Amino acid sequence: MLMDEYFIEMKKVLNKIETTQKDAILDVAGEIAERLSKGAAWHIIDTGHMLMFEGVGRTGGMMALKAIKVSCEIDNKVRYRPSQARGIIGYDSIPGFADYVLGRANILPGDIIMIGSVSGYNYFPIDLALKANEKDCMTIAITSVEYSAHMVSKHPSGKRLFEACTYCLDNCTNFGDTLVDVPDLGQKICPASGIGASYVMWALQSTVVEKLLAKGLKPSVYISNHMPDASDINGKALENYERSGY
């Protein structure tokens, strides 16, 4: 069954994460904890996948991690006229847009920015990482190194995201990000990047919690709204986060 093949292949991806990413997660978590303890803010931005929802605001997750949400809507009720430019330009290809995002998101020198992109070759996430590096921020790519290695960067620097960031956490998916071959379709199905990136994310958050506790600091963590006294517990944790930054 295709389902069984998916289970087998997804487990291989998770096993690869466990065997190849532990050292990187430990290094990244150590610096995040150090920066948080000194007042830095922790941000995440993902170019179209699930991390800004899975990793932020969840029960058992750290309150310190905040999502940078970018939206750009143009609404003009002009009558229809053919246009060659229709749909060609996106915000992620506009030079200087990364500077705008960094400013509007109130990212300060020394902050932590996690940038998610599976393929890691588009202009905006790379430019964001390079500009953040100039501000002495800690930049962390969550990407597929194998996938990205097959791509040619769209950034003038020639760098892919895993090369532009200070640190890289590999979601360990393959080129094309699909696991199960279906000959009758003539293609593969079932991506691994979402679950792989989430696996990395929660491994990282657990390690940051551990590193902060080792410093004698108590990080603020959400509990489910359905648990007894959740409102009071989350309220006190939020007050701790607002006061301490972690």
Side-chain angles (χ1 to χ4, degrees):
M1 296 176 67
L2 295 180
M3 174 175 59
D4 294 323
E5 186 174 346
Y6 167 70
F7 288 153
I8 291 168
E9 294 304 316
M10 192 68 234
K11 287 184 177 74
K12 288 180 182 178
V13 174
L14 298 181
N15 182 66
K16 185 176 179 181
I17 289 170
E18 292 178 18
T19 56
T20 66
Q21 298 305 297
K22 277 188 176 180
D23 288 344
I25 289 169
L26 286 167
D27 289 344
V28 170
E31 184 165 346
I32 289 174
E34 182 66 17
R35 291 195 181 216
L36 287 176
S37 72
K38 294 179 178 178
W42 187 6
H43 316 269
I44 184 168
I45 185 167
D46 192 19
T47 57
H49 294 277
M50 63 186 289
L51 281 179
M52 297 199 326
F53 302 95
E54 169 64 20
V56 179
R58 295 289 307 280
T59 180
M62 294 183 64
M63 291 184 175
L65 184 59
K66 301 298 183 183
I68 302 170
K69 298 178 181 178
V70 178
S71 63
C72 183
E73 296 292 336
I74 308 298
D75 186 12
N76 183 3
K77 303 301 183 183
V78 70
R79 65 183 177 84
Y80 175 78
R81 294 167 295 170
S83 171
Q84 290 183 342
R86 182 182 297 273
I88 293 176
I89 299 176
Y91 73 81
D92 58 350
S93 64
I94 299 173
F97 191 72
D99 300 275
Y100 176 75
V101 170
L102 288 170
R104 293 287 296 185
N106 195 27
I107 294 171
L108 302 180
D111 278 358
I112 305 144
I113 308 177
M114 302 184 71
I115 305 172
S117 171
V118 179
S119 57
Y121 76 110
N122 280 323
Y123 180 93
F124 172 68
I126 297 166
D127 203 46
L128 185 69
L130 294 174
K131 297 292 177 58
N133 290 339
E134 293 174 4
K135 295 171 69 73
D136 195 32
C137 290
M138 177 187 183
T139 53
I140 308 153
I142 301 182
T143 188
S144 167
V145 174
E146 179 182 332
Y147 199 144
S148 194
H150 284 80
M151 310 304 290
V152 176
S153 174
K154 292 185 178 180
H155 194 272
S157 68
K159 294 183 177 182
R160 280 75 55 95
L161 185 62
F162 73 90
E163 299 164 315
C165 289
T166 313
Y167 293 93
C168 175
L169 298 177
D170 192 352
N171 64 39
C172 292
T173 193
N174 56 20
F175 178 49
D177 189 23
T178 43
L179 298 179
V180 180
D181 190 22
V182 186
D184 289 345
L185 286 179
Q187 66 184 78
K188 289 186 174 182
I189 62 173
C190 299
S193 60
I195 292 174
S198 296
Y199 206 55
V200 168
M201 167 66 73
W202 291 116
L204 177 63
Q205 288 203 40
S206 68
T207 311
V208 173
V209 166
E210 186 175 25
K211 297 285 186 180
L212 286 171
L213 290 172
K215 292 177 176 289
L217 304 174
K218 184 180 179 181
S220 306
V221 175
Y222 292 100
I223 69 165
S224 170
N225 289 329
H226 306 294
M227 300 296 287
D229 302 319
S231 180
D232 183 55
I233 294 170
N234 280 333
K236 290 178 179 177
L238 184 58
E239 289 176 3
N240 180 64
Y241 161 68
E242 293 289 350
R243 181 173 58 254
S244 67
Y246 51 79

